């Protein structure tokens, strides 16, 4: 087991990474205010891991409530959130009850947001079971739900007490989901860590084969990168925006196609290549660098061809994004591999060209 | 105009108290990140004050969106919250858009919660138009909504940029609402400020007659008391709980009778007398002190006779309250006027007697 501490002043919290962590109640017990937890999970994860997590807690004298939600991004909404509130109230959960999110990013975002807002805030623990949530959504305190008019429009910044990233859970992950998680891993190399990108180029096949040592290192280094960014900029006023590489384009793809058609990580990968294409058109990125990016995403088995929605539809979808500043869309672009920048200083004609025909300009 | 600063580290904010503040755009302008605001108000307040607030802002070049909600505690729920989100999204409001709450506690709680959660947090300004919201809900950062199973069950701690308490708005306030606000004013004297309580005994008639100087002083001193408590204990782990004097009983009254039948301040007054009754039965408060409390609430024209729900129903209603600690109900009780304490060390038989027959034991 490796442990990384996210430094957020009085809200410092540890991320443990390793095998079999799910069943180690001793890791969770010191963080409980009282011996009552509500485990929030979904119908896919529950049969695989709910009892593995719950039974050792019960054996340690913890009262365990479980809340099983429907599975999927389409359920990351206020109706599902209300299912959590209802269960917590019906079970008379109090301010000292700890919520535990067991599942992927959707479960984590919903549970974290419920924890942030139930009784104006209760403690919570993240037990992410997908690669994407282990390297991304469980670090940094972003929680929230979607709205019919936009993704993640309602939410809160709220930090967990503890994150348990159990590598064993990745063995039950569908291949598409593993690839989507690798897209976020690769992102950390692209935005700020060239040596990690080079390590990934050398080890991408081990990661797709779920080699334990390679995977633990990739998760640790990803979390380390994200933790550094988040600790420096908790409220996303500056550097944290770099983490959104590929996300403005990616959200437009997800939203334009209907949530759930593309996985988030798939959309981010395709969106990152759109950002690369725009960067190349502006002379910030060489053809060779674009080719390296293309190659590693393909080796990770990610789809890179964005849907042809047309530039006008893309611009409309991107206009609703949170990363808008005074009406002007800011984008995360590449100035070489390992160096992303946030910029609104780009050529609009080049942007339209990218949106009309990415990778073909 | 008097100004009080609430000290919350980097989130220090001013409360301005005086006449005609609503129309002084110059007080608001320095707090805007960009010249766009969304004013949230209700159907009762809008015809009285919306244009008085909005026009000077427009004259100063600010883009103003208004969101007019239905009026009443019954609408402090997720459906009304969604009306705010929808309007903000339809108008493409961004992270730099400031929300302005114009109205009483319900508008303030809803708007503050929308501000806390829209795009994970946007700035907001409170313009409370009732005495209750001027002395209570606009100070301290509590925001939230009700749930069918309990009041204020969903919410966040979130501080405004600025509070404008305009005394002129009290002239359009119904008498019952003025009295409900006075209940909270009296509360500050009871919990921690005996000299203020004595001043109130001498000036209660001026306050019910809306004397300007008396009212400004009462609001200032109430906010000062609350600000001191909140600054010392922002997250309600200790002293802040004293502000809930009368609230555990009061919430039970409001919930038991159905929200909206009793005004919040009315329920708090009756609940405070129930707490006084229990304190008297335990020998913590003299008959003479109970009589002084009874007299000032009556002079403020508040109803003091709680509904006869029966002890079992009361206990059930109180069990859902947030101030529960490990299954034991903690209550705010009186050890003399000007000295409240949080205690779970009370006689349960005495509590049942109070619930069965307050003021008659």
């Amino acid at each position: 087991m490796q442990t990384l501490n996210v430094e957020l002043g009085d809200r410092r919290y540890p991320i443990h990474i390793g095998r079999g962590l799910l069943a180690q109640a001793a890791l969770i017990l010191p963080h409980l205010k009282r011996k009552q937890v509500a485990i929030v999970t979904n119908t896919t994860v529950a049969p695989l891991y709910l009892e593995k997590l719950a039974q050792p807690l019960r054996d340690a004298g913890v009262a365990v409530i479980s809340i099983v939600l429907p599975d999927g991004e389409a359920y990351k909404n206020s109706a599902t959130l209300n299912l959590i509130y209802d269960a917590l109230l019906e079970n008379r959960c109090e301010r000292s009850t700890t919520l535990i999110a067991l599942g992927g990013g959707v479960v984590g975002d919903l549970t974290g947001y419920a924890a942030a807002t139930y009784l104006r805030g209760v403690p919570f623990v993240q037990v992410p079971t997908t690669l994407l949530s282990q390297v991304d959504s469980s670090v940094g305190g972003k929680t929230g739900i979607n709205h019919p008019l936009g993704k993640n429009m309602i939410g809160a910044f709220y930090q967990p007490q503890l994150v348990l990233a159990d590598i064993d859970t990745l063995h039950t992950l569908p291949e598409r989901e593993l690839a989507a998680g690798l897209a976020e891993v690769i992102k950390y190399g692209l935005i700020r860590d060239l040596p990690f990108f080079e390590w990934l180029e050398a080890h991408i096949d081990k990661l797709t084969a779920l080699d334990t040592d390679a995977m633990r290192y990739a998760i640790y280094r990803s979390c380390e990168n994200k933790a550094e960014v988040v600790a420096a900029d908790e409220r996303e006023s500056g550097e944290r925006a770099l983490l959104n590489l590929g996300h403005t384009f990616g959200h437009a793809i997800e939203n334009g196609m209907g949530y759930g058609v593309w996985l988030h990580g798939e959309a981010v990968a395709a969106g990152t290549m759109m950002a690369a294409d725009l960067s190349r058109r502006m002379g910030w990125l060489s053809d060779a660098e674009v080719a390296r990016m293309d190659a590693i995403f393909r080796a990770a088995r990610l789809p890179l061809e964005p849907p042809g929605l047309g530039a006008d539809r893309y611009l409309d979808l991107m206009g609703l994004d949170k990363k808008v500043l005074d009406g002007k869309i800011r984008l995360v672009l590449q100035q070489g591999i390992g160096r992303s920048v946030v910029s609104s200083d780009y050529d609009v004609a080049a942007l339209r060209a990218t949106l009309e025909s990415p990778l073909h300009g």
Side-chain angles (χ1 to χ4, degrees), chain A residues 126-149:
Chain A
Q126 293 263 30
V127 185
T129 61
T130 66
L131 181 56
L132 178 61
S133 58
Q134 288 179 357
V135 300
D136 180 40
S137 51
S138 66
V139 185
K142 280 192 180 181
T143 70
I145 57 174
N146 299 327
H147 182 281
L149 293 177

Side-chain angles (χ1 to χ4, degrees), chain A residues 4 6 8 13 15 109 132-142 184 187-188 191-193 219-233 236 239-240 243-244 247:
Chain A
L4 185 74
V6 182
L8 286 164
Y13 67 90
I15 303 170
D109 284 4
L132 178 61
S133 58
Q134 288 179 357
V135 300
D136 180 40
S137 51
S138 66
V139 185
K142 280 192 180 181
E184 294 280 347
K187 186 190 74 178
Y188 295 111
I191 63 173
R192 68 195 300 273
D193 193 348
I219 294 170
Y220 185 93
R221 184 105 173 210
S222 295
C223 289
E224 191 177 40
N225 268 293
K226 181 155 187 185
E228 281 175 20
V229 174
V230 168
D233 181 21
E236 199 175 50
E239 189 189 356
R240 186 162 178 167
L243 297 174
N244 292 318
H247 281 60

Side-chain angles (χ1 to χ4, degrees), chain A residues 290-307:
Chain A
V290 174
R292 279 175 75 185
M293 291 174 61
D294 188 88
I296 196 167
F297 281 129
R298 287 191 195 282
R301 304 172 189 175
L302 284 155
L304 297 181
E305 193 72 26

Side-chain angles (χ1 to χ4, degrees), chain A residues 306-310 314 355-356:
Chain A
L309 303 173
Y314 267 115
L355 296 173
E356 284 298 349

Side-chain angles (χ1 to χ4, degrees), chain A residues 125-337:
Chain A
V125 168
Q126 293 263 30
V127 185
T129 61
T130 66
L131 181 56
L132 178 61
S133 58
Q134 288 179 357
V135 300
D136 180 40
S137 51
S138 66
V139 185
K142 280 192 180 181
T143 70
I145 57 174
N146 299 327
H147 182 281
L149 293 177
K151 196 172 151 71
N152 291 321
M153 288 292 153
I154 314 300
F157 286 96
Y158 199 68
Q159 306 298 340
Q161 306 294 308
L162 167 74
V163 178
L164 293 184
D166 186 338
I167 295 175
D168 284 348
T169 61
L170 304 183
H171 288 273
T172 52
L173 200 61
E175 271 189 29
R176 259 183 87 190
E177 303 242 14
L178 184 70
L182 288 173
E184 294 280 347
V185 171
I186 294 164
K187 186 190 74 178
Y188 295 111
L190 285 171
I191 63 173
R192 68 195 300 273
D193 193 348
L194 176 59
F196 184 39
F197 186 86
E198 289 167 347
W199 181 90
L200 287 167
E201 287 182 312
H203 294 81
I204 189 69
D205 292 341
K206 286 201 167 181
L207 293 174
T208 56
L210 282 174
D211 176 88
T212 296
D213 288 342
M215 190 57 82
R216 185 171 50 223
Y217 180 75
I219 294 170
Y220 185 93
R221 184 105 173 210
S222 295
C223 289
E224 191 177 40
N225 268 293
K226 181 155 187 185
E228 281 175 20
V229 174
V230 168
D233 181 21
E234 193 186 348
R235 307 289 299 189
E236 199 175 50
S237 45
E239 189 189 356
R240 186 162 178 167
L242 298 182
L243 297 174
N244 292 318
L245 174 64
H247 281 60
T248 302
F249 294 106
H251 284 173
I253 293 172
E254 285 182 273
N255 196 349
M257 298 299 286
Y259 290 124
V261 177
W262 283 60
L263 295 178
H264 176 67
E266 293 173 338
V268 165
T272 297
M273 289 312 297
M274 292 170 83
D277 183 73
L278 175 54
S279 304
R280 182 187 56 78
R281 287 175 197 267
M282 293 163 63
W284 293 3
L285 207 58
S286 69
D287 287 346
E289 287 169 319
V290 174
R292 279 175 75 185
M293 291 174 61
D294 188 88
I296 196 167
F297 281 129
R298 287 191 195 282
R301 304 172 189 175
L302 284 155
L304 297 181
E305 193 72 26
L309 303 173
D312 289 338
R313 178 74 177 131
Y314 267 115
L315 287 170
D316 187 51
L317 289 163
M318 291 162 71
L320 252 190
D321 192 275
K322 292 187 297 303
K323 286 158 287 293
V324 173
L325 191 72
D326 284 347
K328 171 79 170 167
I329 301 171
R330 293 193 301 161
L331 293 173
V332 186
L333 299 174
Q334 292 296 103
Q335 292 187 336
I337 288 175

